PDB file of all heavy atoms in Angstrom:
ATOM      1  N   ALA A   1      -9.521 -11.608  -9.814  1.00 97.00           N
ATOM      2  CA  ALA A   1      -8.267 -11.593 -10.518  1.00 97.00           C
ATOM      3  C   ALA A   1      -7.602 -12.968 -10.533  1.00 97.00           C
ATOM      4  O   ALA A   1      -7.376 -13.568  -9.515  1.00 97.00           O
ATOM      5  CB  ALA A   1      -7.303 -10.620  -9.919  1.00 97.00           C
ATOM      6  N   THR A   2      -7.430 -13.514 -11.763  1.00 97.00           N
ATOM      7  CA  THR A   2      -6.867 -14.921 -11.941  1.00 97.00           C
ATOM      8  C   THR A   2      -5.840 -14.893 -12.986  1.00 97.00           C
ATOM      9  O   THR A   2      -5.662 -13.972 -13.796  1.00 97.00           O
ATOM     10  CB  THR A   2      -7.972 -15.896 -12.216  1.00 97.00           C
ATOM     11  OG1 THR A   2      -8.632 -15.467 -13.369  1.00 97.00           O
ATOM     12  CG2 THR A   2      -8.973 -16.068 -11.081  1.00 97.00           C
ATOM     13  N   TYR A   3      -5.145 -16.053 -13.144  1.00 98.00           N
ATOM     14  CA  TYR A   3      -4.143 -16.276 -14.214  1.00 98.00           C
ATOM     15  C   TYR A   3      -4.790 -17.058 -15.331  1.00 98.00           C
ATOM     16  O   TYR A   3      -5.382 -18.097 -15.080  1.00 98.00           O
ATOM     17  CB  TYR A   3      -2.912 -16.982 -13.673  1.00 98.00           C
ATOM     18  CG  TYR A   3      -1.980 -17.499 -14.761  1.00 98.00           C
ATOM     19  CD1 TYR A   3      -1.317 -16.597 -15.552  1.00 98.00           C
ATOM     20  CD2 TYR A   3      -1.754 -18.878 -14.841  1.00 98.00           C
ATOM     21  CE1 TYR A   3      -0.468 -17.049 -16.491  1.00 98.00           C
ATOM     22  CE2 TYR A   3      -0.754 -19.273 -15.845  1.00 98.00           C
ATOM     23  CZ  TYR A   3      -0.178 -18.411 -16.658  1.00 98.00           C
ATOM     24  OH  TYR A   3       0.710 -18.869 -17.603  1.00 98.00           O
ATOM     25  N   ASN A   4      -4.852 -16.576 -16.578  1.00 98.00           N
ATOM     26  CA  ASN A   4      -5.318 -17.236 -17.734  1.00 98.00           C
ATOM     27  C   ASN A   4      -4.576 -16.731 -18.955  1.00 98.00           C
ATOM     28  O   ASN A   4      -4.892 -15.772 -19.561  1.00 98.00           O
ATOM     29  CB  ASN A   4      -6.798 -16.938 -17.937  1.00 98.00           C
ATOM     30  CG  ASN A   4      -7.476 -17.772 -18.973  1.00 98.00           C
ATOM     31  OD1 ASN A   4      -6.875 -18.056 -19.999  1.00 98.00           O
ATOM     32  ND2 ASN A   4      -8.672 -18.142 -18.687  1.00 98.00           N
ATOM     33  N   LEU A   5      -3.453 -17.381 -19.248  1.00 98.00           N
ATOM     34  CA  LEU A   5      -2.592 -16.972 -20.276  1.00 98.00           C
ATOM     35  C   LEU A   5      -3.273 -16.936 -21.641  1.00 98.00           C
ATOM     36  O   LEU A   5      -3.050 -16.070 -22.404  1.00 98.00           O
ATOM     37  CB  LEU A   5      -1.352 -17.948 -20.379  1.00 98.00           C
ATOM     38  CG  LEU A   5      -0.321 -17.684 -21.492  1.00 98.00           C
ATOM     39  CD1 LEU A   5       0.223 -16.237 -21.415  1.00 98.00           C
ATOM     40  CD2 LEU A   5       0.837 -18.732 -21.425  1.00 98.00           C
ATOM     41  N   ASP A   6      -4.142 -17.979 -21.966  1.00 98.00           N
ATOM     42  CA  ASP A   6      -4.766 -18.064 -23.302  1.00 98.00           C
ATOM     43  C   ASP A   6      -5.668 -16.807 -23.448  1.00 98.00           C
ATOM     44  O   ASP A   6      -5.640 -16.224 -24.517  1.00 98.00           O
ATOM     45  CB  ASP A   6      -5.606 -19.250 -23.376  1.00 98.00           C
ATOM     46  CG  ASP A   6      -4.751 -20.585 -23.507  1.00 98.00           C
ATOM     47  OD1 ASP A   6      -3.555 -20.454 -23.881  1.00 98.00           O
ATOM     48  OD2 ASP A   6      -5.223 -21.663 -23.244  1.00 98.00           O
ATOM     49  N   GLU A   7      -6.409 -16.442 -22.433  1.00 98.00           N
ATOM     50  CA  GLU A   7      -7.250 -15.273 -22.540  1.00 98.00           C
ATOM     51  C   GLU A   7      -6.388 -13.990 -22.617  1.00 98.00           C
ATOM     52  O   GLU A   7      -6.747 -13.074 -23.416  1.00 98.00           O
ATOM     53  CB  GLU A   7      -8.184 -15.205 -21.275  1.00 98.00           C
ATOM     54  CG  GLU A   7      -9.262 -14.085 -21.414  1.00 98.00           C
ATOM     55  CD  GLU A   7     -10.235 -14.121 -20.249  1.00 98.00           C
ATOM     56  OE1 GLU A   7     -10.287 -15.012 -19.507  1.00 98.00           O
ATOM     57  OE2 GLU A   7     -10.996 -13.143 -20.168  1.00 98.00           O
ATOM     58  N   ALA A   8      -5.399 -13.904 -21.942  1.00 98.00           N
ATOM     59  CA  ALA A   8      -4.488 -12.715 -22.020  1.00 98.00           C
ATOM     60  C   ALA A   8      -3.957 -12.614 -23.449  1.00 98.00           C
ATOM     61  O   ALA A   8      -3.920 -11.464 -23.951  1.00 98.00           O
ATOM     62  CB  ALA A   8      -3.393 -12.856 -20.972  1.00 98.00           C
ATOM     63  N   LYS A   9      -3.506 -13.714 -23.980  1.00 98.00           N
ATOM     64  CA  LYS A   9      -2.877 -13.654 -25.328  1.00 98.00           C
ATOM     65  C   LYS A   9      -3.984 -13.236 -26.368  1.00 98.00           C
ATOM     66  O   LYS A   9      -3.703 -12.512 -27.308  1.00 98.00           O
ATOM     67  CB  LYS A   9      -2.296 -14.999 -25.749  1.00 98.00           C
ATOM     68  CG  LYS A   9      -1.037 -15.329 -24.968  1.00 98.00           C
ATOM     69  CD  LYS A   9      -0.540 -16.667 -25.157  1.00 98.00           C
ATOM     70  CE  LYS A   9      -0.053 -16.941 -26.536  1.00 98.00           C
ATOM     71  NZ  LYS A   9       0.603 -18.226 -26.721  1.00 98.00           N
ATOM     72  N   ALA A  10      -5.167 -13.706 -26.159  1.00 98.00           N
ATOM     73  CA  ALA A  10      -6.278 -13.461 -27.100  1.00 98.00           C
ATOM     74  C   ALA A  10      -6.586 -11.946 -27.086  1.00 98.00           C
ATOM     75  O   ALA A  10      -6.830 -11.341 -28.106  1.00 98.00           O
ATOM     76  CB  ALA A  10      -7.536 -14.293 -26.782  1.00 98.00           C
ATOM     77  N   ILE A  11      -6.634 -11.360 -25.898  1.00 98.00           N
ATOM     78  CA  ILE A  11      -6.834  -9.909 -25.744  1.00 98.00           C
ATOM     79  C   ILE A  11      -5.734  -9.103 -26.468  1.00 98.00           C
ATOM     80  O   ILE A  11      -6.054  -8.220 -27.232  1.00 98.00           O
ATOM     81  CB  ILE A  11      -6.926  -9.482 -24.230  1.00 98.00           C
ATOM     82  CG1 ILE A  11      -8.226 -10.073 -23.726  1.00 98.00           C
ATOM     83  CG2 ILE A  11      -6.982  -7.914 -24.197  1.00 98.00           C
ATOM     84  CD1 ILE A  11      -8.293  -9.875 -22.163  1.00 98.00           C
ATOM     85  N   MET A  12      -4.533  -9.432 -26.155  1.00 98.00           N
ATOM     86  CA  MET A  12      -3.379  -8.719 -26.713  1.00 98.00           C
ATOM     87  C   MET A  12      -3.315  -8.882 -28.240  1.00 98.00           C
ATOM     88  O   MET A  12      -2.994  -7.909 -28.931  1.00 98.00           O
ATOM     89  CB  MET A  12      -2.081  -9.249 -26.092  1.00 98.00           C
ATOM     90  CG  MET A  12      -1.927  -8.985 -24.588  1.00 98.00           C
ATOM     91  SD  MET A  12      -2.035  -7.250 -24.204  1.00 98.00           S
ATOM     92  CE  MET A  12      -0.439  -6.597 -24.922  1.00 98.00           C
ATOM     93  N   THR A  13      -3.633 -10.031 -28.768  1.00 98.00           N
ATOM     94  CA  THR A  13      -3.682 -10.247 -30.217  1.00 98.00           C
ATOM     95  C   THR A  13      -4.803  -9.474 -30.843  1.00 98.00           C
ATOM     96  O   THR A  13      -4.668  -8.770 -31.920  1.00 98.00           O
ATOM     97  CB  THR A  13      -3.965 -11.791 -30.551  1.00 98.00           C
ATOM     98  OG1 THR A  13      -2.990 -12.559 -29.983  1.00 98.00           O
ATOM     99  CG2 THR A  13      -4.033 -11.943 -31.977  1.00 98.00           C
ATOM    100  N   SER A  14      -5.920  -9.259 -30.141  1.00 98.00           N
ATOM    101  CA  SER A  14      -7.042  -8.464 -30.692  1.00 98.00           C
ATOM    102  C   SER A  14      -6.654  -6.951 -30.680  1.00 98.00           C
ATOM    103  O   SER A  14      -7.181  -6.171 -31.461  1.00 98.00           O
ATOM    104  CB  SER A  14      -8.325  -8.686 -29.861  1.00 98.00           C
ATOM    105  OG  SER A  14      -8.177  -8.076 -28.611  1.00 98.00           O
ATOM    106  N   LYS A  15      -5.677  -6.556 -29.888  1.00 97.00           N
ATOM    107  CA  LYS A  15      -5.250  -5.254 -29.904  1.00 97.00           C
ATOM    108  C   LYS A  15      -3.982  -4.961 -30.799  1.00 97.00           C
ATOM    109  O   LYS A  15      -3.429  -3.907 -30.801  1.00 97.00           O
ATOM    110  CB  LYS A  15      -4.850  -4.832 -28.421  1.00 97.00           C
ATOM    111  CG  LYS A  15      -5.947  -4.973 -27.435  1.00 97.00           C
ATOM    112  CD  LYS A  15      -7.095  -3.924 -27.588  1.00 97.00           C
ATOM    113  CE  LYS A  15      -8.191  -4.091 -26.540  1.00 97.00           C
ATOM    114  NZ  LYS A  15      -9.212  -3.065 -26.788  1.00 97.00           N
ATOM    115  N   GLY A  16      -3.614  -6.021 -31.549  1.00 97.00           N
ATOM    116  CA  GLY A  16      -2.510  -5.830 -32.489  1.00 97.00           C
ATOM    117  C   GLY A  16      -1.127  -6.194 -31.948  1.00 97.00           C
ATOM    118  O   GLY A  16      -0.161  -5.936 -32.748  1.00 97.00           O
ATOM    119  N   TYR A  17      -1.109  -6.851 -30.815  1.00 98.00           N
ATOM    120  CA  TYR A  17       0.257  -7.271 -30.304  1.00 98.00           C
ATOM    121  C   TYR A  17       0.487  -8.710 -30.632  1.00 98.00           C
ATOM    122  O   TYR A  17      -0.373  -9.503 -30.820  1.00 98.00           O
ATOM    123  CB  TYR A  17       0.248  -6.993 -28.795  1.00 98.00           C
ATOM    124  CG  TYR A  17       0.104  -5.543 -28.407  1.00 98.00           C
ATOM    125  CD1 TYR A  17      -1.111  -5.032 -27.981  1.00 98.00           C
ATOM    126  CD2 TYR A  17       1.244  -4.714 -28.566  1.00 98.00           C
ATOM    127  CE1 TYR A  17      -1.225  -3.703 -27.647  1.00 98.00           C
ATOM    128  CE2 TYR A  17       1.079  -3.340 -28.235  1.00 98.00           C
ATOM    129  CZ  TYR A  17      -0.102  -2.859 -27.806  1.00 98.00           C
ATOM    130  OH  TYR A  17      -0.232  -1.533 -27.457  1.00 98.00           O
ATOM    131  N   SER A  18       1.755  -8.947 -30.699  1.00 97.00           N
ATOM    132  CA  SER A  18       2.269 -10.310 -31.091  1.00 97.00           C
ATOM    133  C   SER A  18       3.634 -10.559 -30.473  1.00 97.00           C
ATOM    134  O   SER A  18       4.277  -9.638 -29.871  1.00 97.00           O
ATOM    135  CB  SER A  18       2.247 -10.552 -32.524  1.00 97.00           C
ATOM    136  OG  SER A  18       3.202  -9.679 -33.135  1.00 97.00           O
ATOM    137  N   GLU A  19       4.232 -11.717 -30.789  1.00 96.00           N
ATOM    138  CA  GLU A  19       5.600 -11.975 -30.304  1.00 96.00           C
ATOM    139  C   GLU A  19       6.634 -11.068 -30.890  1.00 96.00           C
ATOM    140  O   GLU A  19       7.647 -10.744 -30.317  1.00 96.00           O
ATOM    141  CB  GLU A  19       5.907 -13.491 -30.601  1.00 96.00           C
ATOM    142  CG  GLU A  19       7.146 -13.935 -29.946  1.00 96.00           C
ATOM    143  CD  GLU A  19       7.303 -15.475 -30.084  1.00 96.00           C
ATOM    144  OE1 GLU A  19       6.431 -16.110 -30.559  1.00 96.00           O
ATOM    145  OE2 GLU A  19       8.454 -16.007 -29.734  1.00 96.00           O
ATOM    146  N   SER A  20       6.275 -10.608 -32.095  1.00 97.00           N
ATOM    147  CA  SER A  20       7.223  -9.615 -32.799  1.00 97.00           C
ATOM    148  C   SER A  20       6.827  -8.258 -32.578  1.00 97.00           C
ATOM    149  O   SER A  20       7.545  -7.230 -33.050  1.00 97.00           O
ATOM    150  CB  SER A  20       7.228  -9.947 -34.265  1.00 97.00           C
ATOM    151  OG  SER A  20       5.925  -9.849 -34.860  1.00 97.00           O
ATOM    152  N   ASN A  21       5.733  -7.955 -31.905  1.00 98.00           N
ATOM    153  CA  ASN A  21       5.272  -6.551 -31.664  1.00 98.00           C
ATOM    154  C   ASN A  21       4.657  -6.506 -30.259  1.00 98.00           C
ATOM    155  O   ASN A  21       3.447  -6.497 -30.071  1.00 98.00           O
ATOM    156  CB  ASN A  21       4.218  -6.100 -32.669  1.00 98.00           C
ATOM    157  CG  ASN A  21       3.668  -4.732 -32.418  1.00 98.00           C
ATOM    158  OD1 ASN A  21       4.519  -3.853 -32.076  1.00 98.00           O
ATOM    159  ND2 ASN A  21       2.376  -4.526 -32.664  1.00 98.00           N
ATOM    160  N   MET A  22       5.533  -6.474 -29.260  1.00 98.00           N
ATOM    161  CA  MET A  22       5.098  -6.528 -27.896  1.00 98.00           C
ATOM    162  C   MET A  22       4.794  -5.180 -27.331  1.00 98.00           C
ATOM    163  O   MET A  22       5.279  -4.119 -27.800  1.00 98.00           O
ATOM    164  CB  MET A  22       6.217  -7.154 -26.999  1.00 98.00           C
ATOM    165  CG  MET A  22       6.415  -8.676 -27.256  1.00 98.00           C
ATOM    166  SD  MET A  22       7.464  -9.366 -25.975  1.00 98.00           S
ATOM    167  CE  MET A  22       7.285 -11.080 -26.404  1.00 98.00           C
ATOM    168  N   LEU A  23       3.819  -5.155 -26.364  1.00 98.00           N
ATOM    169  CA  LEU A  23       3.556  -3.931 -25.623  1.00 98.00           C
ATOM    170  C   LEU A  23       4.737  -3.706 -24.605  1.00 98.00           C
ATOM    171  O   LEU A  23       4.969  -4.590 -23.789  1.00 98.00           O
ATOM    172  CB  LEU A  23       2.220  -4.010 -24.857  1.00 98.00           C
ATOM    173  CG  LEU A  23       1.838  -2.922 -23.837  1.00 98.00           C
ATOM    174  CD1 LEU A  23       1.719  -1.576 -24.613  1.00 98.00           C
ATOM    175  CD2 LEU A  23       0.583  -3.299 -23.056  1.00 98.00           C
ATOM    176  N   LYS A  24       5.381  -2.617 -24.704  1.00 98.00           N
ATOM    177  CA  LYS A  24       6.421  -2.262 -23.800  1.00 98.00           C
ATOM    178  C   LYS A  24       5.921  -1.463 -22.604  1.00 98.00           C
ATOM    179  O   LYS A  24       5.423  -0.428 -22.774  1.00 98.00           O
ATOM    180  CB  LYS A  24       7.558  -1.471 -24.501  1.00 98.00           C
ATOM    181  CG  LYS A  24       8.186  -2.350 -25.653  1.00 98.00           C
ATOM    182  CD  LYS A  24       9.317  -1.602 -26.360  1.00 98.00           C
ATOM    183  CE  LYS A  24       9.889  -2.387 -27.599  1.00 98.00           C
ATOM    184  NZ  LYS A  24      10.486  -3.570 -27.082  1.00 98.00           N
ATOM    185  N   LEU A  25       6.236  -2.041 -21.353  1.00 97.00           N
ATOM    186  CA  LEU A  25       5.858  -1.273 -20.151  1.00 97.00           C
ATOM    187  C   LEU A  25       6.967  -1.260 -19.158  1.00 97.00           C
ATOM    188  O   LEU A  25       7.926  -2.151 -19.244  1.00 97.00           O
ATOM    189  CB  LEU A  25       4.569  -2.000 -19.502  1.00 97.00           C
ATOM    190  CG  LEU A  25       3.325  -2.019 -20.229  1.00 97.00           C
ATOM    191  CD1 LEU A  25       2.257  -2.898 -19.523  1.00 97.00           C
ATOM    192  CD2 LEU A  25       2.783  -0.591 -20.362  1.00 97.00           C
ATOM    193  N   THR A  26       6.958  -0.281 -18.259  1.00 97.00           N
ATOM    194  CA  THR A  26       7.980  -0.251 -17.231  1.00 97.00           C
ATOM    195  C   THR A  26       7.329  -0.416 -15.868  1.00 97.00           C
ATOM    196  O   THR A  26       6.293   0.231 -15.513  1.00 97.00           O
ATOM    197  CB  THR A  26       8.691   1.164 -17.280  1.00 97.00           C
ATOM    198  OG1 THR A  26       9.299   1.314 -18.506  1.00 97.00           O
ATOM    199  CG2 THR A  26       9.715   1.229 -16.100  1.00 97.00           C
ATOM    200  N   TYR A  27       7.886  -1.420 -15.119  1.00 98.00           N
ATOM    201  CA  TYR A  27       7.333  -1.724 -13.768  1.00 98.00           C
ATOM    202  C   TYR A  27       8.357  -1.146 -12.786  1.00 98.00           C
ATOM    203  O   TYR A  27       9.554  -1.474 -12.800  1.00 98.00           O
ATOM    204  CB  TYR A  27       7.270  -3.226 -13.597  1.00 98.00           C
ATOM    205  CG  TYR A  27       6.833  -3.712 -12.229  1.00 98.00           C
ATOM    206  CD1 TYR A  27       5.596  -3.388 -11.750  1.00 98.00           C
ATOM    207  CD2 TYR A  27       7.738  -4.337 -11.413  1.00 98.00           C
ATOM    208  CE1 TYR A  27       5.205  -3.896 -10.504  1.00 98.00           C
ATOM    209  CE2 TYR A  27       7.373  -4.812 -10.121  1.00 98.00           C
ATOM    210  CZ  TYR A  27       6.072  -4.610  -9.717  1.00 98.00           C
ATOM    211  OH  TYR A  27       5.658  -4.964  -8.410  1.00 98.00           O
ATOM    212  N   THR A  28       7.875  -0.290 -11.911  1.00 97.00           N
ATOM    213  CA  THR A  28       8.727   0.299 -10.925  1.00 97.00           C
ATOM    214  C   THR A  28       8.493  -0.202  -9.502  1.00 97.00           C
ATOM    215  O   THR A  28       7.378  -0.468  -9.098  1.00 97.00           O
ATOM    216  CB  THR A  28       8.479   1.859 -10.929  1.00 97.00           C
ATOM    217  OG1 THR A  28       8.391   2.375 -12.194  1.00 97.00           O
ATOM    218  CG2 THR A  28       9.398   2.573 -10.008  1.00 97.00           C
ATOM    219  N   TYR A  29       9.583  -0.368  -8.760  1.00 97.00           N
ATOM    220  CA  TYR A  29       9.499  -0.940  -7.464  1.00 97.00           C
ATOM    221  C   TYR A  29      10.700  -0.399  -6.630  1.00 97.00           C
ATOM    222  O   TYR A  29      11.730   0.015  -7.208  1.00 97.00           O
ATOM    223  CB  TYR A  29       9.495  -2.439  -7.427  1.00 97.00           C
ATOM    224  CG  TYR A  29      10.717  -3.096  -8.057  1.00 97.00           C
ATOM    225  CD1 TYR A  29      11.770  -3.554  -7.238  1.00 97.00           C
ATOM    226  CD2 TYR A  29      10.821  -3.353  -9.417  1.00 97.00           C
ATOM    227  CE1 TYR A  29      12.879  -4.161  -7.785  1.00 97.00           C
ATOM    228  CE2 TYR A  29      11.917  -3.906  -9.962  1.00 97.00           C
ATOM    229  CZ  TYR A  29      12.945  -4.350  -9.184  1.00 97.00           C
ATOM    230  OH  TYR A  29      14.087  -4.942  -9.722  1.00 97.00           O
ATOM    231  N   ASN A  30      10.550  -0.426  -5.279  1.00 94.00           N
ATOM    232  CA  ASN A  30      11.663  -0.005  -4.397  1.00 94.00           C
ATOM    233  C   ASN A  30      12.636  -1.166  -4.284  1.00 94.00           C
ATOM    234  O   ASN A  30      12.226  -2.356  -4.098  1.00 94.00           O
ATOM    235  CB  ASN A  30      11.212   0.503  -3.110  1.00 94.00           C
ATOM    236  CG  ASN A  30      10.256  -0.436  -2.427  1.00 94.00           C
ATOM    237  OD1 ASN A  30       9.258  -0.848  -3.009  1.00 94.00           O
ATOM    238  ND2 ASN A  30      10.423  -0.621  -1.140  1.00 94.00           N
ATOM    239  N   ASP A  31      13.916  -0.916  -4.345  1.00 91.00           N
ATOM    240  CA  ASP A  31      14.892  -1.896  -4.518  1.00 91.00           C
ATOM    241  C   ASP A  31      15.205  -2.734  -3.242  1.00 91.00           C
ATOM    242  O   ASP A  31      15.799  -2.233  -2.212  1.00 91.00           O
ATOM    243  CB  ASP A  31      16.208  -1.208  -4.973  1.00 91.00           C
ATOM    244  CG  ASP A  31      17.226  -2.251  -5.536  1.00 91.00           C
ATOM    245  OD1 ASP A  31      16.812  -3.390  -5.739  1.00 91.00           O
ATOM    246  OD2 ASP A  31      18.402  -1.865  -5.661  1.00 91.00           O
ATOM    247  N   ASN A  32      14.764  -3.981  -3.289  1.00 88.00           N
ATOM    248  CA  ASN A  32      15.216  -4.973  -2.304  1.00 88.00           C
ATOM    249  C   ASN A  32      15.013  -6.395  -2.893  1.00 88.00           C
ATOM    250  O   ASN A  32      14.387  -6.485  -3.985  1.00 88.00           O
ATOM    251  CB  ASN A  32      14.582  -4.808  -0.910  1.00 88.00           C
ATOM    252  CG  ASN A  32      13.120  -5.298  -0.833  1.00 88.00           C
ATOM    253  OD1 ASN A  32      12.675  -5.990  -1.674  1.00 88.00           O
ATOM    254  ND2 ASN A  32      12.408  -4.870   0.159  1.00 88.00           N
ATOM    255  N   THR A  33      15.561  -7.354  -2.247  1.00 87.00           N
ATOM    256  CA  THR A  33      15.529  -8.744  -2.955  1.00 87.00           C
ATOM    257  C   THR A  33      14.160  -9.266  -3.090  1.00 87.00           C
ATOM    258  O   THR A  33      13.848  -9.854  -4.133  1.00 87.00           O
ATOM    259  CB  THR A  33      16.355  -9.712  -2.062  1.00 87.00           C
ATOM    260  OG1 THR A  33      17.741  -9.241  -1.900  1.00 87.00           O
ATOM    261  CG2 THR A  33      16.430 -11.069  -2.605  1.00 87.00           C
ATOM    262  N   MET A  34      13.314  -9.031  -2.127  1.00 90.00           N
ATOM    263  CA  MET A  34      11.870  -9.580  -2.150  1.00 90.00           C
ATOM    264  C   MET A  34      11.194  -9.000  -3.445  1.00 90.00           C
ATOM    265  O   MET A  34      10.624  -9.755  -4.226  1.00 90.00           O
ATOM    266  CB  MET A  34      11.137  -9.187  -0.866  1.00 90.00           C
ATOM    267  CG  MET A  34       9.694  -9.499  -0.939  1.00 90.00           C
ATOM    268  SD  MET A  34       8.788  -8.856   0.456  1.00 90.00           S
ATOM    269  CE  MET A  34       7.085  -9.130   0.046  1.00 90.00           C
ATOM    270  N   HIS A  35      11.202  -7.622  -3.531  1.00 95.00           N
ATOM    271  CA  HIS A  35      10.533  -7.021  -4.659  1.00 95.00           C
ATOM    272  C   HIS A  35      11.149  -7.385  -5.985  1.00 95.00           C
ATOM    273  O   HIS A  35      10.424  -7.469  -7.022  1.00 95.00           O
ATOM    274  CB  HIS A  35      10.482  -5.501  -4.459  1.00 95.00           C
ATOM    275  CG  HIS A  35       9.904  -5.115  -3.168  1.00 95.00           C
ATOM    276  ND1 HIS A  35       8.756  -5.708  -2.552  1.00 95.00           N
ATOM    277  CD2 HIS A  35      10.212  -4.115  -2.292  1.00 95.00           C
ATOM    278  CE1 HIS A  35       8.488  -5.127  -1.527  1.00 95.00           C
ATOM    279  NE2 HIS A  35       9.317  -4.161  -1.236  1.00 95.00           N
ATOM    280  N   LYS A  36      12.458  -7.527  -5.987  1.00 95.00           N
ATOM    281  CA  LYS A  36      13.118  -7.950  -7.272  1.00 95.00           C
ATOM    282  C   LYS A  36      12.714  -9.320  -7.725  1.00 95.00           C
ATOM    283  O   LYS A  36      12.479  -9.573  -8.907  1.00 95.00           O
ATOM    284  CB  LYS A  36      14.662  -7.890  -7.053  1.00 95.00           C
ATOM    285  CG  LYS A  36      15.491  -8.300  -8.290  1.00 95.00           C
ATOM    286  CD  LYS A  36      16.992  -8.200  -8.001  1.00 95.00           C
ATOM    287  CE  LYS A  36      17.788  -8.692  -9.202  1.00 95.00           C
ATOM    288  NZ  LYS A  36      19.289  -8.663  -8.913  1.00 95.00           N
ATOM    289  N   ASN A  37      12.644 -10.264  -6.791  1.00 95.00           N
ATOM    290  CA  ASN A  37      12.248 -11.631  -7.075  1.00 95.00           C
ATOM    291  C   ASN A  37      10.834 -11.668  -7.674  1.00 95.00           C
ATOM    292  O   ASN A  37      10.494 -12.380  -8.677  1.00 95.00           O
ATOM    293  CB  ASN A  37      12.365 -12.559  -5.851  1.00 95.00           C
ATOM    294  CG  ASN A  37      13.775 -12.776  -5.473  1.00 95.00           C
ATOM    295  OD1 ASN A  37      14.687 -12.553  -6.144  1.00 95.00           O
ATOM    296  ND2 ASN A  37      13.948 -13.295  -4.260  1.00 95.00           N
ATOM    297  N   VAL A  38       9.921 -10.909  -7.041  1.00 97.00           N
ATOM    298  CA  VAL A  38       8.594 -10.841  -7.558  1.00 97.00           C
ATOM    299  C   VAL A  38       8.533 -10.258  -8.936  1.00 97.00           C
ATOM    300  O   VAL A  38       7.854 -10.723  -9.811  1.00 97.00           O
ATOM    301  CB  VAL A  38       7.708  -9.990  -6.532  1.00 97.00           C
ATOM    302  CG1 VAL A  38       6.276  -9.709  -7.222  1.00 97.00           C
ATOM    303  CG2 VAL A  38       7.496 -10.790  -5.267  1.00 97.00           C
TER     304      VAL A  38
END
């Protein structure tokens, strides 16, 4: 698992997503400062 923004954007573009049509997701975490910062 690595960070590769260009590859991520290419995948998302191929799936029909763009700056004007973003994939909306909800990320859930237990509330404390550490988890909030992450």
